[in-house]
Amino acid sequence: MRYNFQPMEKSPVIVVVGHIDHGKSTLLDYIRKTNTVENEAGGITQQISAYEINHQQKKITFIDTPGHDAFSAMREQGARAADLAILVVSAEEGVKPQTLEAKATIEKNQLPYIVAINKIDQPTANLEATKKSLAENGIYLEGLGGEVPFTAISAKTGQGISELLDLILLAAEMAALKKEKTNETDAADWLAEGFILEAQTSPQRGVTAAAIVRRGVLRRGDYLGAENSDCFRIKKLEDWHGRETEILTASSPAVIFGWKTAPAPGARWYSAAAKDQLMKKIKSSDVSGPAADKLPSAATANENEKIMPLIIKANTLGSLRAVEKEIGKISVPNLKIQILDSGIGALTENDFKLARATGALVIGFQIKIEKAAEDLALKNQTTYGLFEIIYKLNEWLETELERRRPRIEVEIIIGSAKIIKLFSQTKNKQVVGGLVLDGKISNRRAVRVRRRGADLGAGEILELQQQQTAVKEVEKGKQFGALVEMRHTLAPGDILEILEIERK
C-alpha cells in the first residue's frame, strides 16, 4: 500500500521540567483542565503522561516528567521526544539543584526553551531576585543580557498562562516546526517514527507503550520496531483520551498495543507497512535509546559481607528503572544488595515463592498485591513493602537493610588492672585483690588476662567491691576486690584487661 503525505504544520511537543516543588505539575494540571474539553481530560493522561490542548486554534502537545531526582533519566527521555522545553522556576526560591539538572538536560538535547517564573501570587515571591538567581547560574533572560524568553506566571491562579502559551506558539513558529514532505517512495519504506514515553503490562491489556509520534503517520496494522524489542504488528492504537483510533499523526501522544516485550522508555521506534521494509529502515538508522541505569543482576561479597536479595515490581518500566537507580545509591556496611528479580505489574504468588526460597525482601512501587500473594506472604512471614512515594521506599529499605546487615564484634579495652593477691578459689571462681592501672573496671564485664605479655584467656567479673562495699565500677589508682570467673588460675602480677564488646 502507498501513502501520500502532504506538508502541514507540525504541532509543537513541549516538555515541562524543573525542581520538584516549583509547581511543574500544578502548571500542567491548570493547562490541561482549562484548555481541553472536560470529559476528555483525565484518566489516560495519568498513565501516558502526555496530552494535547488547543490554543489560538492550534494544537500543543505536553509531556509530563516526574520531578524527583531519581527520574532524571525519564526527564532526559522526555526532552529527547520534545521540540521545546519549559523550565519552571519558583519566584520564592529561585534556582535549585534540580533546576540546574533540568537545564543540563535541555542543553544536552539542544532544545530551545522558555523560562516560566512561577508562584508570583505568593507573598514571598521576589521576581527580581529570581532573575538574578537565574543569571548567576548561567540562564540569561531576554532583556537582561540574554536570549532566553521568559514569562511570570501563577500556575495556581492562571495568571500569565495564556501569555506562556502564546510564547510557546511563537517559539515554535520561529523554530519552523514543519512536517517534511514525504513522497510515495519514502512512504513505501517507512511511515512514522517516534519515542517511547512509558511501558506497562497488565492481564487485561497485555504489554502497552505510551509514545510520541515525532514524524509521519502511525496506523493500526503497521509493523513497528524499537530498540531491544521484537518487531510486531500493531494490534490497536489509542489516542491520549484512551479512545481507539486507526491513525495518529506527528506530535500525537499514542498508546500502542501488540508488543511482545516491554520497550525501554526513551527508545526510538519506526513503523512501516511491511515487515521487510521496517527491517530495512531499522538497519539503516540509529535506533538508540538511553542506557539503562540498572544495578548488576548479581553481587559478590567479601568474607565480612552478606548478600541481601531484592525482588522489585513497579507500575511501569520507567518507574522500575528509577527505583533501581535510587536503590543503587544506598550503602550499608557489610552488606551487598542484589536485585534478584524485577518486573512490572502486581505482586504475585511467584514473587513470594521466590522470596521464601532466597530470603529476599519484596518491594512494590505504585502497584497492588494479589490476594493470594498477600496470603502467602503472611503465611511465610515474608517482609514486603508497597509504596507510592520513592523516598518512603528508600527510608523503609534502609531500615530493613540496617536490621539485617551482619555485625562485626570489636573488643574495646576500657581499663586495665593488676592482680595483687589471690585470696581463694572454688573451681573456676576466684576472689582476687588488685589495683586499677588505667581507665576503669566494671562489674559484669568481660576480661582478658595477660601474664608476662602473653594472652592467658578470657573470663568475667561477677562481683566487684571497694572497701568491702559492693560497687559497679572502680576508677584508676584505686584498689578493689573482685570475684572473677575464669578457667585458668590467676596469680599476682597478672593483668586484667576490661573489655567492652561493640558490634559494628
Side-chain angles (χ1 to χ4, degrees):
M1 182 180 293
R2 302 284 179 105
Y3 299 94
N4 258 321
F5 292 91
Q6 298 299 324
M8 63 183 76
E9 185 175 357
K10 179 183 181 299
S11 303
V13 178
I14 312 300
V15 61
V16 180
V17 294
H19 185 69
I20 188 170
D21 295 323
H22 284 188
K24 176 182 66 68
S25 295
T26 306
L27 172 61
L28 285 163
D29 287 344
Y30 186 91
I31 292 172
R32 178 174 56 86
K33 290 174 182 177
T34 55
N35 291 273
T36 57
V37 179
E38 185 178 352
N39 62 5
E40 292 179 345
I44 195 68
T45 63
Q46 297 305 310
Q47 295 299 322
I48 71 172
S49 298
Y51 61 84
E52 291 178 342
I53 69 160
N54 286 288
H55 181 71
Q56 305 287 10
Q57 287 77 53
K58 294 182 179 180
K59 284 187 177 181
I60 304 173
T61 299
F62 284 90
I63 300 173
D64 188 6
T65 58
H68 191 279
D69 64 354
F71 292 82
S72 59
M74 293 177 67
R75 286 204 296 278
E76 183 167 324
Q77 291 145 18
R80 292 178 73 233
D83 299 306
L84 182 75
I86 305 297
L87 180 60
V88 179
V89 183
S90 168
E92 294 180 296
E93 295 185 325
V95 174
K96 303 289 281 186
Q98 284 183 2
T99 312
L100 297 177
E101 181 188 327
K103 173 179 176 281
T105 298
I106 290 169
E107 292 176 344
K108 179 180 177 181
N109 289 276
Q110 299 181 331
L111 279 179
Y113 69 102
I114 297 167
V115 171
I117 302 177
N118 190 27
K119 300 189 179 183
I120 60 171
D121 58 303
Q122 297 300 311
T124 55
N126 189 328
L127 192 58
E128 295 307 313
T130 303
K131 292 176 182 178
K132 182 180 178 182
S133 174
L134 288 162
E136 289 172 347
N137 287 278
I139 303 173
Y140 303 107
L141 304 179
E142 281 185 342
L144 298 170
E147 298 180 352
V148 180
F150 78 97
T151 186
I153 65 168
S154 167
K156 184 177 179 180
T157 67
Q159 181 182 350
I161 301 297
S162 180
E163 289 79 0
L164 175 62
L165 298 177
D166 289 340
L167 201 54
I168 288 171
L169 292 177
L170 177 61
E173 184 178 335
M174 292 178 64
L177 298 174
K178 301 288 182 179
K179 287 185 179 177
E180 294 185 9
K181 184 175 181 180
T182 308
N183 60 37
E184 291 187 2
T185 302
D186 293 332
D189 291 332
W190 67 281
L191 301 177
E193 68 174 88
F195 287 94
I196 300 298
L197 292 178
E198 192 53 274
Q200 292 184 313
T201 185
S202 70
Q204 297 78 23
R205 291 159 66 92
V207 180
T208 60
I212 289 290
V213 182
R214 295 292 287 129
R215 187 178 179 201
V217 177
L218 183 65
R219 301 172 186 268
R220 186 176 67 85
D222 290 346
Y223 285 89
L224 189 144
E227 179 202 15
N228 296 330
S229 182
D230 296 330
C231 294
F232 66 96
R233 196 164 194 175
I234 299 172
K235 292 181 179 179
K236 186 170 76 169
L237 289 174
E238 288 181 352
D239 65 13
W240 73 273
H241 307 298
R243 301 177 304 203
E244 192 168 343
T245 182
E246 293 291 314
I247 185 171
L248 287 165
T249 57
S251 301
S252 297
V255 180
I256 304 170
F257 291 71
W259 301 85
K260 297 175 184 177
T261 56
R268 181 178 292 151
W269 55 262
Y270 292 98
S271 69
K275 190 172 183 179
D276 60 339
Q277 295 165 346
L278 174 62
M279 298 308 296
K280 178 182 176 183
K281 177 64 182 176
I282 288 175
K283 287 179 181 179
S284 65
S285 304
D286 177 22
V287 183
S288 61
D293 292 314
K294 297 191 71 172
L295 291 173
S297 59
T300 57
N302 61 40
E303 60 181 3
N304 294 323
E305 289 179 327
K306 174 185 176 182
I307 297 291
M308 187 66 242
L310 303 180
I311 296 170
I312 307 170
K313 300 289 282 292
N315 61 329
T316 67
L317 193 58
S319 294
L320 180 64
R321 285 184 172 178
V323 169
E324 289 173 331
K325 182 178 180 181
E326 196 72 0
I327 288 173
K329 298 177 182 179
I330 297 175
S331 178
V332 179
N334 308 323
L335 188 144
K336 288 283 188 182
I337 297 172
Q338 176 186 4
I339 297 182
L340 189 66
D341 191 32
S342 63
I344 51 179
L347 290 175
T348 67
E349 284 185 276
N350 287 336
D351 296 321
F352 288 95
K353 287 176 181 177
L354 180 59
R356 182 185 182 186
T358 60
L361 293 173
V362 182
I363 296 171
F365 183 68
Q366 296 186 348
I367 58 169
K368 297 184 182 299
I369 180 173
E370 294 179 355
K371 183 62 171 66
E374 188 175 16
D375 293 341
L376 186 61
L378 182 62
K379 178 182 176 182
N380 295 336
Q381 297 183 321
T382 303
T383 302
Y384 72 95
L386 298 174
F387 305 93
E388 296 293 324
I389 303 172
I390 201 163
Y391 79 83
K392 292 289 186 183
L393 184 159
N394 258 24
E395 289 176 352
W396 174 86
L397 182 57
E398 285 176 347
T399 300
E400 292 296 326
L401 294 177
E402 180 63 28
R403 286 202 305 114
R404 286 166 169 76
R405 72 177 178 87
R407 262 63 174 179
I408 300 173
E409 291 190 348
V410 178
E411 292 181 347
I412 300 174
I413 300 173
I414 62 172
S416 63
K418 182 178 181 180
I419 301 297
I420 298 174
K421 187 174 182 178
L422 174 63
F423 292 106
S424 65
Q425 181 176 10
T426 305
K427 293 185 178 180
N428 292 337
K429 295 180 180 179
Q430 306 168 59
V431 177
V432 299
L435 173 70
V436 180
L437 301 177
D438 192 32
K440 62 182 179 180
I441 65 171
S442 303
N443 194 20
R444 309 304 300 187
R445 286 284 189 182
V447 295
R448 181 169 55 227
V449 181
R450 292 192 176 276
R451 181 173 292 170
R452 292 187 291 274
D455 190 344
L456 187 64
E460 183 182 3
I461 297 176
L462 301 180
E463 294 179 16
L464 189 61
Q465 291 185 356
Q466 191 174 20
Q467 297 179 349
Q468 299 183 344
T469 301
V471 293
K472 291 183 179 180
E473 60 184 38
V474 180
E475 296 179 347
K476 179 180 178 180
K478 304 290 184 180
Q479 293 188 347
F480 64 90
L483 176 62
V484 180
E485 185 174 34
M486 186 181 177
R487 185 165 56 90
H488 296 284
T489 300
L490 296 171
D494 289 346
I495 301 298
L496 300 182
E497 292 180 341
I498 315 305
L499 305 177
E500 183 174 272
I501 308 300
E502 183 174 320
R503 300 182 73 216
K504 293 185 177 180

